[in-house]
């Protein structure tokens, strides 16, 4: 094998022969290119066209309608920001956020908190209430956000465990069941809880500014008055609805409704009136001025037996007076004409 000369240089004739292209394992693959630096490989580069296409997919146009959906599937809770494109009759999930527990209430607001606090202009945020005794506030303009921009309430698990369900002046100690953002005093958010309290939160400091204990059972619903910046409406499982000035919580007007309150709502077209939806499927319409002795509310203007089961949600059209929508545990959604205080059903649908 001539091992003595193995390490010696090969003859010059052999070197000339090796000047020709070498054969390697990839020689049979035509058009294969090698790049020592991945920046030189055009197939690994992200082009501007790709960026533009992604930006186009994420862009929300003025003609789009944005909907917020809080749901739980397979014990996983999340909040979905959905977009409805009217032109193509297309509804899709734009982005979503993971939630710590089963969601109970959501409230949109434009007051900047957290990382963007103090920046000029309006924001795009949502406050989320769950079975946890804390409120999370998420920035809807941030996609793939892992953490909320602000949390209202205590994170001290030991303290919460000791005071579970007991009223505390500084934070909630049980599930938060209702939220309402003050559109007139924009740094105020109201919340109602299973710990029987109603709280006002200062969004500037993310702390509780005031706590109210006028209800004797779980407080399901809370709503700021649309024009009177300090007036609140609350409803609870003590079968009562309360209206009061948050600056003078001792002067409370009460209405007894005979069932657990599911939802309360001021009439935006007649702000001296309000709606109450209850567990027995009934909507009651009251005049807040009709109060006897300054404390006891009078009889309803009308009573609407709307559903066979609990009336869990209701809303009214902001621009069309007298148009009321109700949703119930009986799996139906109904539209009502309540003009002239004479309610009549327009249509009933089962969303399934």
């Amino acid at each position: 094998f001539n091992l003595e000369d193995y390490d010696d240089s090969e003859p010059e004739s052999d070197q000339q022969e090796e000047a020709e292209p070498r054969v390697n394992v990839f020689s049979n693959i035509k058009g294969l290119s090698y790049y020592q630096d991945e920046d030189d490989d055009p197939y690994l580069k992200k082009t501007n066209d790709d960026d533009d296409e992604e930006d186009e997919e994420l862009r929300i146009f003025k003609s789009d309608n944005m909907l917020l959906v809080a749901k739980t599937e397979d014990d996983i809770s999340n909040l979905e920001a959905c977009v409805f494109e009217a032109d193509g009759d297309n509804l899709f999930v734009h982005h979503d956020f993971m939630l710590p527990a089963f969601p109970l209430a959501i409230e949109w607001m434009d007051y900047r908190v957290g990382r963007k606090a103090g920046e000029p202009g309006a924001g795009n945020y949502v406050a989320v209430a769950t079975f946890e005794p804390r409120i999370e506030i998420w920035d809807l303009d941030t996609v793939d956000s892992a953490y909320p921009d602000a949390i209202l309430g205590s994170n001290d698990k030991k303290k919460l465990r000791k005071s579970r369900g007991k009223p505390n002046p500084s934070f909630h100690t049980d599930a938060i069941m209702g939220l309402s953002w003050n559109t007139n005093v924009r740094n105020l958010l109201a919340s109602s809880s299973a710990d029987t309290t109603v709280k006002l939160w200062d969004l500037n400091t993310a702390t509780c500014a005031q706590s109210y204990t006028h209800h004797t059972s779980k407080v399901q619903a809370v709503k700021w008055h649309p024009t009177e910046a300090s007036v609140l409406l609350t409803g609870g499982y003590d079968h009562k609805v309360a209206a009061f000035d948050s600056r003078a919580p001792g002067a409370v007007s009460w209405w007894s409704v005979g069932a657990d309150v599911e939802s309360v709502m001021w009439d935006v077209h007649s702000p001296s009136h309000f709606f109450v939806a209850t567990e027995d499927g009934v909507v009651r319409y009251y005049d807040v001025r009709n109060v006897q002795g300054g404390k006891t509310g009078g009889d309803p203007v009308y009573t609407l037996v709307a559903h066979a089961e609990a009336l869990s949600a209701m809303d009214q059209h902001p621009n069309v007076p007298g148009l009321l929508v109700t949703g119930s545990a009986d799996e139906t959604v109904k539209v009502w004409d309540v003009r002239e205080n004479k309610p009549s059903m327009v249509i009933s649908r089962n969303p399934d």
Side-chain angles (χ1 to χ4, degrees):
F1 294 100
N2 194 26
L3 295 179
E4 294 83 358
D5 301 326
Y6 183 79
D7 293 328
D8 296 343
S9 300
E10 295 183 0
E12 184 175 348
S13 59
D14 292 340
Q15 293 179 357
Q16 290 177 352
E17 289 178 2
E18 289 190 1
E20 298 178 1
R22 294 191 178 191
V23 177
N24 58 61
V25 69
F26 296 110
S27 295
N28 292 330
I29 304 178
K30 296 181 178 180
L32 186 67
S33 301
Y34 300 90
Y35 299 94
Q36 291 184 351
D37 190 344
E38 64 179 22
D39 292 336
D40 296 331
D41 191 337
Y43 294 101
L44 294 180
K45 287 185 177 180
K46 193 172 182 180
T47 64
N48 292 332
D49 292 339
D50 294 334
D51 292 337
D52 294 341
E53 185 175 345
E54 287 188 9
D55 291 344
E56 188 70 16
E57 291 177 354
L58 293 173
R59 185 174 295 124
I60 297 176
F61 298 92
K62 291 183 179 180
S63 58
D64 293 337
N65 296 290
M66 196 168 187
L67 298 89
L68 297 176
V69 179
K71 66 178 186 179
T72 298
E73 289 184 356
D74 299 327
D75 295 329
I76 298 176
S77 300
N78 60 7
L79 176 73
E80 295 179 346
C82 302
V83 172
F84 177 70
E85 296 175 337
D87 294 340
D89 196 21
N90 181 31
L91 177 65
F92 62 94
V93 178
H94 187 270
H95 60 285
D96 61 0
F97 309 99
M98 292 289 293
L99 299 178
F102 192 95
L104 296 175
I106 58 176
E107 180 79 350
W108 180 87
M109 59 186 194
D110 67 11
Y111 193 78
R112 293 189 181 276
V113 299
R115 296 167 296 175
K116 299 180 181 178
E119 290 186 8
N124 187 22
Y125 294 83
V126 61
V128 184
T130 68
F131 271 111
E132 294 292 327
R134 291 173 293 276
I135 302 168
E136 294 186 349
I137 301 179
W138 294 84
D139 183 358
L140 292 171
D141 290 337
T142 302
V143 178
D144 297 330
S145 181
Y147 300 99
D149 277 48
I151 296 177
L152 308 179
S154 175
N155 287 314
D156 190 329
K157 294 183 179 180
K158 185 177 180 181
K159 186 184 296 184
L160 287 170
R161 194 162 45 246
K162 287 183 177 180
S163 58
R164 184 75 181 180
K166 300 176 183 178
N168 186 288
S170 301
F171 53 84
H172 284 301
T173 60
D174 209 335
I176 299 172
M177 307 170 77
L179 296 171
S180 182
W181 174 56
N182 194 323
T183 58
N184 297 298
V185 185
R186 296 171 53 250
N187 66 305
L188 288 183
L189 179 71
S191 61
S192 59
S193 171
D195 65 11
T196 74
T197 69
V198 174
K199 287 182 168 49
L200 302 190
W201 301 90
D202 184 350
L203 298 176
N204 290 326
T205 60
T207 58
C208 179
Q210 187 65 265
S211 182
Y212 307 102
T213 57
H214 52 286
H215 283 281
T216 58
S217 187
K218 298 176 181 179
V219 189
Q220 169 68 25
V222 59
K223 206 71 176 177
W224 286 105
H225 194 278
T227 57
E228 298 293 334
S230 59
V231 175
L232 272 172
L233 187 67
T234 62
Y237 284 10
D238 52 7
H239 299 182
K240 292 182 180 180
V241 173
F244 63 98
D245 190 317
S246 58
R247 299 168 299 183
V252 180
S253 298
W254 293 99
W255 287 262
S256 180
V257 295
D260 291 350
V261 175
E262 294 288 341
S263 180
V264 297
M265 177 177 63
W266 293 99
D267 187 347
V268 295
H269 304 291
S270 178
S272 59
H273 294 79
F274 62 88
F275 299 88
V276 181
T278 52
E279 188 185 24
D280 54 3
V282 176
V283 175
R284 295 172 176 84
Y285 187 65
Y286 290 95
D287 187 338
V288 73
R289 299 165 298 184
N290 184 11
V291 178
Q292 301 172 1
K295 289 187 177 182
T296 305
D299 294 333
V301 177
Y302 65 79
T303 299
L304 169 63
V305 181
H307 293 271
E309 296 185 34
L311 203 161
S312 53
M314 64 178 172
D315 205 353
Q316 61 184 150
H317 198 289
N319 301 319
V320 181
L323 183 57
L324 178 70
V325 181
T326 58
S328 169
D330 63 11
E331 300 182 357
T332 62
V333 175
K334 297 182 180 181
V335 179
W336 305 88
D337 181 356
V338 295
R339 288 176 296 180
E340 299 179 0
N341 299 327
K342 298 177 180 179
S344 61
M345 189 175 68
V346 177
I347 195 170
S348 176
R349 286 287 185 270
N350 187 323
D352 292 335

